[in-house]
Amino acid sequence: RVYFIDGTRIDGKAEPFDPARDMPALLAEAERIGNMRLLIVDPVVSAVAGDSHKNGETRRALQPLVDLASALRTAVLGISHFSKGTAGRDPVERVTGSLAFGALARVVLCAVKVKGTDDDEDRRILARAKSNIGPDGGGFEYSIEQTQLEGYTDIEASVIRWGRQLEGSARDLLAEAETEDDEDEPARDVDAFIRGCLADGPRTAGQMKKDCDGAGYAWRTVQRAATRRLGIVPMKDGMRGGWVWALPADSPKAPRRQDATEGAEGDKHERLASSAPSGPEVASSDDGEVF
């Protein structure tokens, strides 16, 4: 029930499959087979004969695939990879090549492998980065296991074992996984980014989130770095005020610097200290307020 296409023959000579030239032959073969339900293009960039980094050329090259799917009433699954050095960015923008690959697709799913440490096993995450036919975000943990086929003990096959359901955006889920995967990844410059944001003194959590979004860092990644590595504890600015971030040197629990933070700002810090949360990490609130 599975058919592989390695190429095509022209005048008896084997040639690589060219979607711009060979799509009518593929349609004819699919109709001959009948009842086709899924066409997998791996990698999907191979369907583009021109420059796969140009939106216009990519869209024109992929249109025959769209037409083929419509004619056969079948689904098309294109497989690609992330570009290197793009950790922390929107997953749809990380797809290798033109943005048209992600823009043209109705649904974009992202898979990432997280290497285990010590005795921990590797784990994998499948997240939904985009959907034009349903909600975005969310995903599942999963693993790949080798098992013997029932009734054919001499044959082994890979099997997906689904794990727990995950909540959150694909960007945050992948950023958290990639952080666990490699602490030395260039994306971990987030520590320097946080210190730079707070170099001139405390800032509100809303300002921090806006800056980290603009810099391409996932909010959950910034929260983890701030609380676990930099020792930052978000503080409440009074009962009705918002949450404020500050480096440990600017924290009211540490000796205050003799600068412009004295006086009115110093009184403000005292109020912050009296309402600081007791836990080491704060992630969310009942009313959805940003911490």
Side-chain angles (χ1 to χ4, degrees), residues 2 19-20 43 54 67 89 104 107 111 122 131 136 154 163 165 174 180 200 222 224 231 252 263 287-288:
V2 180
K54 293 183 178 180
D67 296 339
R89 292 170 51 186
L104 190 64
V107 178
D122 294 348
S131 176
D136 296 335
D154 57 333
Q165 184 175 353
L174 267 61
E180 296 173 2
D200 294 330
V222 172
R224 285 163 54 90
D287 58 1

Side-chain angles (χ1 to χ4, degrees), residues 19-138:
R21 177 194 62 201
D22 301 325
M23 202 60 70
L26 177 60
L27 174 60
E29 183 66 12
E31 290 177 335
R32 185 190 67 79
I33 295 172
N35 199 34
M36 193 173 83
R37 289 292 173 261
L38 177 64
L39 174 64
I40 301 175
V41 186
D42 183 15
V44 68
V45 69
S46 64
V48 179
D51 189 340
S52 62
H53 289 82
K54 293 183 178 180
N55 288 344
E57 290 191 26
T58 299
R59 280 187 173 274
R60 285 193 295 271
L62 294 177
Q63 189 58 44
L65 279 177
V66 176
D67 296 339
L68 178 68
S70 178
L72 296 175
R73 299 183 61 81
T74 186
V76 175
L77 174 63
I79 299 177
S80 186
H81 297 277
F82 285 151
S83 299
K84 294 186 179 298
T86 59
R89 292 170 51 186
D90 187 319
V92 177
E93 298 177 356
R94 296 176 61 184
V95 177
T96 298
S98 166
L99 292 175
F101 286 111
L104 190 64
R106 293 290 178 262
V107 178
V108 178
L109 301 175
C110 302
V112 60
K113 179 180 178 181
V114 185
K115 295 181 180 179
T117 57
D118 299 331
D119 296 332
D120 295 336
E121 296 182 354
D122 294 348
R123 67 187 185 97
R124 291 172 168 84
I125 290 176
L126 179 69
R128 180 172 46 192
K130 169 195 170 181
S131 176
N132 290 351
I133 55 178
D136 296 335

Side-chain angles (χ1 to χ4, degrees), residues 204-205 235-245 272 275 289-290:
T204 67
M235 301 171 293
K236 188 76 170 176
D237 185 7
M239 294 301 294
R240 295 183 177 275
W243 290 86
V244 177
W245 286 34
L272 294 176
S275 58
E289 183 182 1
V290 174

Side-chain angles (χ1 to χ4, degrees), residues 131-208:
S131 176
N132 290 351
I133 55 178
D136 296 335
F140 291 90
E141 288 185 345
Y142 71 97
S143 62
I144 300 178
E145 300 178 2
Q146 296 295 313
T147 185
Q148 292 181 333
L149 292 183
E150 184 177 355
Y152 299 88
T153 56
D154 57 333
I155 300 177
E156 287 191 348
S158 298
V159 177
I160 298 294
R161 302 294 185 190
W162 294 105
R164 64 188 180 95
Q165 184 175 353
L166 303 173
E167 300 293 338
S169 69
R171 178 176 178 174
D172 288 349
L173 292 174
L174 267 61
E176 182 177 359
E178 289 170 329
T179 298
E180 296 173 2
D181 187 24
D182 190 353
E183 289 292 336
D184 296 327
E185 187 72 20
R188 302 318 309 146
D189 289 345
V190 66
D191 289 10
F193 165 76
I194 295 173
R195 292 191 182 97
C197 289
L198 301 176
D200 294 330
R203 304 189 68 189
T204 67
Q207 292 173 325
M208 289 294 300

